[in-house]
Amino acid sequence: MPEAVLKISHLTKRFDDQTVLDDLSLEVREGETVVIVGPSGCGKSTLLRCVNALEDIQGGEIRIRGEEIRHDGKNLPEMRRKVGMVFQNYELFPHLTVIENILLAPVKAQKRRREEVRAEAMELLERVGLKEKADSLPRQLSGGQKQRVAIVRALCVHPDILLFDEVTAALDPEMVREVLDVIIGLAERGKTMLIVTHEMSFARAVADRIILLSDCRILEESSPEEFFTAPKTEQAKKFLQSFEFRRSR
Amino acid sequence: MPDLGLEVLWKGRNFIRLLEGLWTALRISLVSALISILAGILLGVLAGRKRSVFRFILRGWLAVIHIMPQMVLLFLMYFGTSRAFGWNLSGEASAIIVFSLWGTAEMGDLVRGAVGSVPVIQRESAEALGLKPPQVYLMIILPQAVRRLIPQAINLVTRMIKTTSLVTLIGVVEILKVAQQIIEANRRASPNAAFGVYLTVFVMYYLACRPLTLMSKQLEKHWR
Amino acid sequence: MKNIRRFFAAALVLALFVSVSVSISGSASADAVYRTLDEILADGTVNIGVFSDKYPFGFVDENGEYQGYDVYFARRIGEDLGVKVNFVSTEAANRVEYLETGKVDIILANFTVTPERAEKVDFALPYMNVALGVVSPDSRVITDLKQLGPEDRVIVISGTTAEDYLIKNNPEITLQKYDTYANAKNALENGNAAAWANDNTEVIAFALENEGYTVGIPSLGSQDTIAPAVSKGNETLLNWLNDEIRALAGEQFFHKDYEETLVAVYGLEYEDSLVLEGGGLTE
């Protein structure tokens, strides 16, 4: 069995008095794509933010390849480089061009050679169909293009695991596909990923494992086939039904 | 064409004197502006941090600067420091100190506001890439903040240039004072000189401030 | 923790501000602010505060040189002291301040002797006579202050004798104050006020030069004198100035000064009434 890239044990997260995640444990193994689904406000995004130490935690621990992520740790920037994050609203840096956005962290934080990273970045941009946009500013791109750039930016840091936080939620419908195709391509190449999404058919296609998060806990954890055809829990059934439409005749 | 008394400008060194006066005004305001921008960025950054002592220092400083008329501050700095501490500051040095105190406070507040207006998630996005906190600040937050505050900063500098007309009260002869000297010295020979001289001063101020506003517009367009 | 810091910050700012303003407002420094005669001679430069925009007493000509009745005297002082003169441009409102802080050694800026000022500075012997005058437009010449209605405003320059006199003797009059001569002049010309009260030399000159204005009140209040002033207590310099003024009477210096600088404006008819030789004591 491949080693766990991400190991979350007994994670508890509270905002003031409100518990958002309660004693949650989860593992993502090398090359695995895990998709988290669940009703809005159930803590999916918070979970991802905890993994990247953008939120502090009140209990439990998070380890990347065995090394604990501590919010107060001196090695926090290094640990974060092991975790790539793609945000719902892309969060490209508006004052930098596409290529500058991508090169910033590898060159400035990882001290890698500029030409080397640039070559890699151009290759990845070509793969996502944006090679000619390298010198554009973010504001000159469409939402779908920005999100593809954000994915390339995360990839170029060479993280051990990529986190996707509802990356198509802010996009116009016709742009959703171009972004999801890129992520599916990554899954095919064996990237380790933890994905939060509301796109059920995408989840089914990309996931090795589906996790249903609700009421601060993991309610169900199964293969996509099992989850979508024979959900084990009532909540999962109800959740899946919320995506179906019927007209009474 | 009405008699504007423009002939006084060509008497002796009068025109050169006006330019010298303009240079005095610009020298004071631009040196002060430079100090204000550097010190203001530092102060604004320090005051922008949560629970920072500097936030309260800045607030108090701003309150004092806003309550006190600049003329009073100039008097305090030029005459007051002589009385209280026996310092013998020159008029120009006093003016630069007062303008810098004023500019640093305003600039600090502008920087603090501009830094605060950069969305938190921009910082998080940079942190998530593994950039260290100083890098996040220098490469992500400040560049975006600077773009937001350029128009206000330019506005501050042009206000400074105009406010230099007060420094005549502490013995510094700047363009407006030279203008009055020229008008007074010629009040018999060219009673209408006030029109022409003030018009010339207006044009000189305009030409001095114009590059700044143009630069500001250009930068805004570039960064939009 | 947060509250403690906040408290300290507030206290610090307050303490700084209070200490600065207290030390400034209290005439704290006991040390002499002025330079004695010997110190000036040793330095080789005397700082003299003059007007730079008050033609024909103190102004700057087209070559950037200070000129005028006061300046003519100032140059002679420099000559007789054997030092260079550094002219400092002063305004009516800051003449006392300049002496109180020792930023100039002598004020020679049309400085009228008054008891209030004499408490703060030391006047030397006078070198000119002056009274107050009021100038107004020909369309409505004010010949008596009683003609002024409640709506009417009178222009004065801050820190002048005219301001003091009107505040003390005619508090019912609404004053409109300006910091510079040029601004006051502009205001009258723009019709912002009914009249302008100033030294009679000023208003006489103004009416002579500007069509449409008349000095309706040529002499208001008592006859005053104009004298050089030094910092309070600067006896060595004061005594030297008094000796100088007495000595200059021998050559009728101030008549010569008048003829060089004032005659073009006031004509010869005012010479004997305006000029004082030897402090007026020898006559």
Side-chain angles (χ1 to χ4, degrees):
Chain A
M1 186 164 158
E3 75 172 301
V5 175
L6 170 66
K7 191 172 191 316
I8 300 171
S9 318
H10 308 291
L11 171 64
T12 299
K13 168 69 192 171
R14 279 188 298 269
F15 287 116
D16 297 324
D17 291 339
Q18 195 200 353
T19 302
V20 181
L21 299 169
D22 184 15
D23 193 31
L24 184 144
S25 296
L26 169 70
E27 274 189 40
V28 181
R29 288 179 293 276
E30 184 78 52
E32 196 182 22
T33 300
V34 175
V35 172
I36 303 173
V37 297
S40 298
C42 70
K44 305 185 297 282
S45 292
T46 306
L47 175 59
L48 293 192
R49 288 169 60 82
C50 288
V51 173
N52 218 339
L54 292 176
E55 302 285 348
D56 53 357
I57 59 178
Q58 280 68 48
E61 58 172 38
I62 300 169
R63 288 178 184 274
I64 303 290
R65 292 201 193 279
E67 199 173 341
E68 188 178 359
I69 292 187
R70 297 171 57 89
H71 216 291
D72 52 359
K74 285 207 176 67
N75 61 346
L76 192 56
E78 273 164 60
M79 290 305 292
R80 277 172 166 158
R81 269 173 239 146
K82 296 175 193 268
V83 181
M85 177 99 164
V86 183
F87 295 87
Q88 179 175 331
N89 287 308
Y90 347 115
E91 301 311 330
L92 297 181
F93 307 126
H95 59 295
L96 301 176
T97 62
V98 165
I99 192 74
E100 287 165 348
N101 260 279
I102 298 170
L103 296 187
L104 186 66
V107 173
K108 299 294 179 188
Q110 293 176 307
K111 308 288 180 206
R112 283 156 59 194
R113 282 183 50 237
R114 195 178 183 86
E115 303 76 52
E116 169 210 313
V117 187
R118 189 182 168 85
E120 183 189 346
M122 291 310 286
E123 196 191 315
L124 286 168
L125 280 175
E126 186 165 21
R127 206 181 289 168
V128 300
L130 292 173
K131 193 183 176 191
E132 71 284 2
K133 297 287 185 188
D135 295 314
S136 303
L137 284 166
R139 62 179 151 88
Q140 297 164 320
L141 304 182
S142 72
Q145 291 172 326
K146 282 186 221 177
Q147 198 57 291
R148 282 181 277 160
V149 171
I151 293 170
V152 171
R153 184 174 71 175
L155 282 171
C156 274
V157 183
H158 296 164
D160 290 302
I161 182 170
L162 275 165
L163 312 179
F164 292 85
D165 186 7
E166 301 197 28
V167 292
T168 58
L171 294 179
D172 291 335
E174 68 270 22
M175 293 175 183
V176 169
R177 178 154 210 119
E178 64 191 50
V179 173
L180 296 184
D181 280 345
V182 169
I183 302 174
I184 288 172
L186 294 175
E188 284 166 350
R189 291 208 308 284
K191 292 282 175 201
T192 311
M193 298 189 284
L194 183 58
I195 300 172
V196 168
T197 186
H198 282 294
E199 302 282 340
M200 287 305 135
S201 58
F202 163 68
R204 192 169 182 173
V206 80
D208 295 314
R209 238 181 330 140
I210 300 252
I211 284 171
L212 175 65
L213 197 66
S214 188
D215 301 328
C216 321
R217 291 177 296 124
I218 293 175
L219 287 178
E220 182 158 344
E221 186 172 353
S222 41
S223 72
E225 267 317 295
E226 203 181 346
F227 182 79
F228 286 103
T229 54
K232 286 177 275 193
T233 59
E234 273 307 306
Q235 284 99 327
K237 280 178 198 155
K238 265 179 91 178
F239 176 71
L240 285 171
Q241 273 165 14
S242 69
F243 290 91
E244 287 170 22
F245 296 91
R246 260 190 217 100
R247 180 178 161 192
S248 47
R249 293 171 195 270
Chain B
M1 171 132 178
D3 176 18
L4 296 177
L6 284 168
E7 68 278 1
V8 301
L9 293 174
W10 313 118
K11 268 195 191 167
R13 295 181 65 253
N14 280 356
F15 194 75
I16 307 283
R17 286 173 59 215
L18 276 178
L19 287 175
E20 285 167 353
L22 180 68
W23 171 235
T24 303
L26 287 180
R27 195 170 55 219
I28 290 174
S29 45
L30 293 183
V31 169
S32 309
L34 190 70
I35 295 172
S36 301
I37 286 168
L38 295 177
I41 287 177
L42 189 68
L43 180 67
V45 165
L46 291 173
R49 301 194 305 193
K50 279 181 202 155
R51 291 195 294 270
S52 167
V53 188
F54 291 97
R55 177 169 292 202
F56 301 103
I57 291 177
L58 175 60
R59 199 175 291 170
W61 185 342
L62 264 177
V64 172
I65 296 282
H66 283 161
I67 290 167
M68 303 278 261
Q70 263 111 9
M71 211 183 85
V72 173
L73 290 172
L74 287 170
F75 258 70
L76 281 179
M77 190 53 63
Y78 186 60
F79 294 116
T81 56
S82 276
R83 267 170 199 245
F85 314 116
W87 301 348
N88 193 12
L89 292 174
S90 74
E92 192 164 327
S94 308
I96 287 173
I97 293 171
V98 166
F99 279 38
S100 299
L101 285 173
W102 162 36
T104 301
E106 280 212 26
M107 195 63 199
D109 200 42
L110 290 180
V111 170
R112 191 191 55 76
V115 165
S117 74
V118 177
V120 177
I121 195 150
Q122 278 282 313
R123 196 191 70 221
E124 292 178 343
S125 169
E127 284 175 351
L129 284 167
L131 291 169
K132 297 190 182 80
Q135 292 176 321
V136 174
Y137 220 99
L138 285 175
M139 297 170 186
I140 306 302
I141 310 284
L142 271 187
Q144 294 190 49
V146 164
R147 282 160 171 72
R148 282 159 212 245
L149 65 81
I150 283 280
Q152 295 147 296
I154 300 268
N155 174 283
L156 176 65
V157 176
T158 50
R159 272 189 293 140
M160 270 187 185
I161 294 175
K162 285 177 240 168
T163 312
T164 49
S165 58
L166 289 179
V167 303
T168 174
L169 290 163
I170 56 171
V172 181
V173 178
E174 48 64 70
I175 180 166
L176 221 54
K177 188 69 186 176
V178 175
Q180 287 173 356
Q181 290 175 353
I182 293 174
I183 293 164
E184 282 312 308
N186 293 284
R187 67 186 207 178
R188 273 156 55 85
S190 309
N192 286 328
F195 299 108
V197 173
Y198 280 130
L199 189 69
T200 309
V201 169
F202 169 80
V203 172
M204 283 180 173
Y205 269 130
Y206 178 81
L207 291 178
C209 291
R210 187 71 188 147
L212 287 172
T213 44
L214 272 183
M215 190 175 79
S216 152
K217 283 210 181 99
Q218 206 59 38
L219 285 174
E220 268 180 88
K221 207 193 278 177
H222 182 69
W223 284 336
R224 188 194 35 190
Chain C
M1 181 62 196
K2 192 176 163 187
N3 281 332
I4 293 175
R5 277 204 200 175
R6 186 183 302 207
F7 173 78
F8 269 115
L12 186 73
V13 171
L14 195 71
L16 265 176
F17 188 57
V18 168
S19 64
V20 168
S21 45
V22 162
S23 54
I24 286 171
S25 60
S27 46
S29 58
D31 294 341
V33 293
Y34 54 79
R35 304 194 300 166
T36 63
L37 181 63
D38 287 342
E39 283 166 336
I40 293 167
L41 292 174
D43 180 58
T45 304
V46 61
N47 299 317
I48 302 186
V50 294
F51 283 129
S52 69
D53 60 356
K54 201 174 175 184
Y55 180 84
F57 297 97
F59 65 99
V60 180
D61 70 11
E62 64 269 23
N63 296 313
E65 300 287 336
Y66 280 89
Q67 303 293 356
Y69 185 76
D70 293 339
V71 174
Y72 191 88
F73 181 31
R75 288 199 205 285
R76 179 62 185 258
I77 289 173
E79 240 171 69
D80 291 345
L81 278 173
V83 297
K84 263 176 47 190
V85 178
N86 172 39
F87 289 107
V88 178
S89 164
T90 62
E91 308 293 334
N94 62 18
R95 286 175 296 191
V96 170
E97 202 71 28
Y98 262 108
L99 288 177
E100 286 191 322
T101 54
K103 292 223 171 224
V104 301
D105 300 308
I106 305 169
I107 285 282
L108 269 180
N110 218 259
F111 212 12
T112 308
V113 181
T114 65
E116 291 80 15
R117 286 175 183 158
E119 283 170 18
K120 295 174 182 160
V121 304
D122 281 344
F123 284 104
L125 293 172
Y127 59 96
M128 208 176 124
N129 285 316
V130 71
L132 296 180
V134 179
V135 65
S136 39
D138 287 347
S139 54
R140 184 173 165 231
V141 178
I142 307 291
T143 54
D144 192 318
L145 291 179
K146 289 196 183 76
Q147 294 166 358
L148 293 166
E151 308 281 281
D152 292 321
R153 288 161 176 274
V154 173
I155 294 168
V156 292
I157 298 176
S158 300
T160 55
T161 333
E163 183 193 13
D164 294 344
Y165 178 86
L166 290 177
I167 286 174
K168 194 187 285 174
N169 298 295
N170 299 77
E172 73 284 0
I173 294 176
T174 316
L175 300 181
Q176 193 158 326
K177 301 178 188 183
Y178 293 92
D179 276 320
T180 61
Y181 180 87
N183 290 343
K185 179 175 177 245
N186 287 345
L188 185 69
E189 285 169 352
N190 293 336
N192 293 358
W196 178 11
N198 206 345
D199 295 348
N200 60 356
T201 48
E202 275 305 314
V203 294
I204 290 167
F206 180 85
L208 285 172
E209 289 155 13
N210 295 275
E211 194 99 353
Y213 295 92
T214 302
V215 179
I217 310 177
S219 186
L220 183 69
S222 58
Q223 182 91 358
D224 282 322
T225 55
I226 281 171
V230 299
S231 300
K232 194 89 194 151
N234 193 354
E235 274 182 39
T236 52
L237 186 58
L238 184 69
N239 292 339
W240 186 90
L241 276 174
N242 285 338
D243 291 345
E244 171 82 352
I245 290 169
R246 282 191 204 101
L248 289 174
E251 55 183 270
Q252 293 288 289
F253 174 81
F254 290 105
H255 282 81
K256 191 157 164 276
D257 190 350
Y258 184 98
E259 283 149 26
E260 289 282 332
T261 59
L262 299 188
V263 77
V265 178
Y266 301 108
L268 282 167
E269 60 192 298
Y270 286 101
E271 180 163 351
D272 281 328
S273 57
L274 285 177
V275 168
L276 268 179
E277 292 287 357
L281 302 177
T282 52
E283 287 175 25

